[in-house]
């Protein structure tokens, strides 16, 4: 793959000395003037004195990105193998996306949904085309993944009657932090402090067709599933399960809602992960993360006329959702992904990474598709591995005590991926304890 987004600096220098930062721009100087220059330590002190503590202490203070690389306030360079959690599909500061966003902002930035704009209409049409949605399908734009799920929950409610109130989701599911999305999310630690949550949601065992068959009846309004559970450590549902989910929901009059917030927008080498399974067309699909290439935007896609008319005029809305800048960002992102062969690259480099991980000592399981990858370590040292990886110049993520997730930009090159595979044994060496190779594998 070659495009204008090749990182400005060759990756491989991980020392904190001699910051290899690209030249400062005037915008960068302005931001520095607005924020006031500080060292990384000062920024972290100011952070803990001003930000709500929900995210804990940030791992680094980042100041710049280019392609798949980012730089911190102390000048250290990192290969970003998390991509802002599956968001930076085209890496950082992609020239085309940046220029489309800035020119749209300089032309018309926000207008409210009393009005529409060309990028809004064009992005909706583009999403319908990429999802091969049938006649009558529609799009609702949001600003985040959770909001796309909120819209989906409201859609499910509109498919409800007094006898049809149940919404099914899966163990391990992550659908977001707002109250409706949280009701669908399975993790107790996320849910418990905020109960009561909107009711009617039941969680079923993961990838268990018998359990689904037993749970389905005319009282189910919707089944909400991720084709690949990202936050649970990159766990793909089987093709058989997705087919059964499609058949059973159709049979019982329930909506099949696919949450592709993390797995969508080319990440698996297909526009949407469910497109790997023939015959599985959802009733609705939620999108966000990669859609804006780093600019906040989400969407609910409703499939077919019947589903698309469940929610009518005045029944849902958003002030920011679908504004000209966000939708221009989405259009630019999809265009750049399409014209640079990024999906093919995601397949190829993802396969290369999985092959390398599978033969790395200390890695006991590898999962995923394209550039959404999870792997299990031979002990509960994933958080320590994340720290060691940072020190070695790589951004990775622990989704559990023994599980690492990679969700890098889809423009990651094989050479960049190889630098990580080369460094990983050393990273794991520093965190593995002698007993790890014989210790029990932690549950996903
Ligand atoms: C991240 C995520 C969400 C929530 O998106 P936010 O933009 O953080 O609100 C929902 N569903 C899935 C599958 C996700 O990965």
């Amino acid at each position: 793959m070659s495009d204008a987004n090749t990182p400005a600096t060759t990756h491989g220098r991980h020392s904190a000395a001699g910051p290899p930062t690209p030249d400062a721009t005037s915008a960068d100087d302005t931001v520095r003037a607005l924020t006031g220059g500080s060292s990384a330590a000062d920024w972290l002190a100011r952070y803990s004195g001003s930000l709500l503590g929900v995210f804990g202490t940030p791992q680094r203070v980042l100041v710049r990105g280019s392609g798949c690389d980012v730089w911190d306030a102390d000048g250290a360079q990192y290969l970003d193998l998390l991509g802002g959690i599956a968001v930076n599909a085209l890496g950082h500061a992609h020239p085309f996306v940046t220029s489309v966003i800035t020119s749209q902002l300089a032309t018309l930035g926000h207008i409210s949904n009393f009005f529409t704009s060309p990028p809004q209409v064009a992005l909706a049409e583009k999403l319908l085309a990429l999802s091969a949605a049938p006649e009558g399908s529609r799009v609702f734009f949001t600003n985040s993944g959770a909001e796309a799920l909120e819209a989906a929950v409201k859609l499910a409610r509109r498919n409800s009657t007094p006898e049809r109130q149940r919404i099914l989701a899966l163990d391990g599911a992550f659908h977001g932090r707002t109250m409706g999305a949280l009701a669908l999310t399975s993790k107790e630690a996320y849910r418990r402090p905020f109960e009561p949550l909107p009711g009617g949601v039941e969680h079923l065992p993961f990838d268990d067709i018998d359990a689904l068959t037993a749970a389905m009846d005319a009282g189910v309004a919707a089944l909400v599933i991720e084709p690949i559970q990202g936050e649970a450590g990159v766990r793909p549902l089987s093709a058989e399960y997705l087919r059964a989910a499609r058949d059973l929901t159709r049979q019982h009059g329930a909506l099949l809602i696919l949450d592709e917030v993390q797995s969508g927008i080319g990440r698996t080498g297909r526009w949407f992960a469910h497109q790997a399974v023939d015959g599985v067309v959802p009733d609705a699909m939620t999108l966000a993360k990669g859609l804006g290439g780093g600019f906040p935007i989400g969407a609910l896609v409703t499939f077919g006329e019947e589903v698309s008319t469940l929610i009518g005029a005045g029944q849902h809305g958003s002030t920011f959702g679908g504004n000209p800048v966000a939708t221009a960002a989405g259009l630019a992102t999809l265009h750049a992904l399409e014209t640079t062969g990024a999906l093919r690259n995601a397949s190829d480099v993802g396969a290369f990474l999985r092959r390398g991980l599978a033969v790395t000592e200390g890695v006991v399981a590898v999962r995923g598709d394209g550039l959404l990858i999870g792997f299990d370590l031979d002990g509960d040292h994933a958080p320590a591995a994340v720290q060691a990886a940072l020190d070695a110049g790589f951004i990775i993520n622990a989704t559990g005590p023994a599980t690492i997730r990679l969700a890098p930009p889809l423009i990651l090159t094989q050479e960049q991926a190889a630098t990580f595979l080369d460094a990983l044994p050393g990273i794991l060496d520093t965190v593995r304890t002698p007993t790890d190779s014989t210790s029990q594998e932690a549950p996903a």
Side-chain angles (χ1 to χ4, degrees):
M1 244 194 71
S2 79
D3 67 29
N5 200 36
T6 305
T9 312
T10 309
H11 186 73
R13 275 168 285 162
H14 300 307
S15 92
T21 48
D23 292 337
T25 62
S26 59
D28 187 57
D29 291 338
T30 309
V31 171
R32 210 170 293 151
L34 285 172
T35 55
S38 283
S39 68
D42 288 341
W43 281 121
L44 290 177
R46 287 170 63 180
Y47 179 99
S48 64
S50 57
L51 276 293
L52 199 64
V54 293
F55 300 110
T57 304
Q59 296 168 322
R60 291 290 192 273
V61 181
L62 301 180
V63 295
R64 176 186 301 283
S66 176
C68 297
D69 293 318
V70 293
W71 286 264
D72 71 16
D74 293 332
Q77 180 183 353
Y78 305 88
L79 181 65
D80 185 0
L81 295 172
L82 184 58
I85 316 183
V87 167
N88 297 94
L90 291 156
H92 298 271
H94 189 276
F96 179 69
V97 176
T98 303
S99 88
V100 171
I101 289 174
T102 50
S103 65
Q104 182 61 52
L105 185 59
T107 305
L108 184 66
H110 176 82
I111 55 176
S112 92
N113 281 301
F114 291 123
F115 306 93
T116 188
S117 62
Q120 183 183 65
V121 176
L123 181 59
E125 289 173 349
K126 185 74 188 168
L127 286 175
L128 293 176
L130 294 178
S131 51
E135 195 62 28
S137 300
R138 297 288 187 268
V139 176
F140 176 79
F141 286 116
T142 69
N143 312 288
S144 66
E147 286 170 90
L149 268 298
E150 292 295 326
V153 170
K154 288 180 76 170
L155 189 75
R157 284 279 196 264
R158 294 292 301 148
N159 189 42
S160 296
T161 62
E163 296 76 40
R164 190 194 288 283
Q165 299 276 350
R166 302 167 61 209
I167 299 178
L168 305 181
L170 297 187
D171 289 343
F174 182 84
H175 297 292
R177 305 293 202 132
T178 57
M179 294 300 266
L182 189 56
L184 297 169
T185 294
S186 80
K187 198 170 175 175
E188 280 300 313
Y190 292 170
R191 303 166 52 88
R192 184 68 51 82
F194 303 102
E195 289 173 345
L197 296 169
V201 178
E202 300 160 39
H203 288 92
L204 305 178
F206 182 78
D207 206 27
D208 183 337
I209 295 176
D210 292 340
L212 179 62
T213 308
M216 285 299 305
D217 62 27
V220 177
L223 169 66
V224 185
I225 52 181
E226 299 154 87
I228 301 173
Q229 287 188 339
E231 301 298 309
V234 188
R235 296 199 299 170
L237 281 170
S238 64
E240 296 71 41
Y241 190 91
L242 287 172
R243 273 191 216 102
R246 177 63 287 179
D247 293 345
L248 287 164
T249 46
R250 186 172 286 137
Q251 201 177 309
H252 293 283
L255 301 178
L256 175 62
I257 299 173
L258 296 184
D259 183 354
E260 294 243 25
V261 165
Q262 189 157 162
S263 57
I265 316 296
R267 182 144 294 279
T268 63
R270 294 174 190 82
W271 285 109
F272 310 107
H274 74 267
Q275 292 175 332
V277 186
D278 278 346
V280 174
V281 177
D283 296 306
M285 172 170 70
T286 51
L287 300 172
K289 292 201 163 93
L291 178 54
F295 201 91
I297 181 170
L300 175 73
V301 182
T302 56
F303 287 69
E305 173 103 38
E306 203 183 327
V307 177
S308 300
T309 51
L310 283 173
I311 293 189
Q315 290 185 330
H316 197 46
S318 167
T319 298
F320 291 124
N323 81 48
V325 182
T327 49
L331 270 180
T333 300
L334 296 178
H335 180 81
L337 289 172
E338 203 164 33
T339 53
T340 59
L343 276 63
R344 179 70 203 270
N345 186 67
S347 289
D348 294 349
V349 177
F352 172 79
L353 268 171
R354 276 191 300 281
R355 280 197 303 275
L357 290 167
V359 297
T360 298
E361 184 169 350
V363 174
V364 296
V366 184
R367 293 176 299 275
D369 198 2
L371 284 173
L372 184 55
I373 296 174
F375 59 96
D376 295 336
L377 305 178
D378 58 358
D380 287 354
H381 44 248
V386 168
Q387 292 308 317
L390 275 174
D391 293 339
F394 299 95
I395 295 178
I396 61 176
N397 167 246
T399 58
T403 303
I404 301 287
R405 167 178 50 182
L406 307 179
L410 307 184
I411 57 168
L412 186 77
T413 65
Q414 186 164 311
E415 292 68 39
Q416 289 170 321
T419 64
F420 176 65
L421 291 174
D422 290 346
L424 186 58
I427 291 167
L428 293 181
D429 266 353
T430 64
V431 299
R432 285 169 86 206
T433 58
T435 55
D436 280 341
S437 49
T438 55
S439 72
Q440 278 292 335
E441 191 186 327

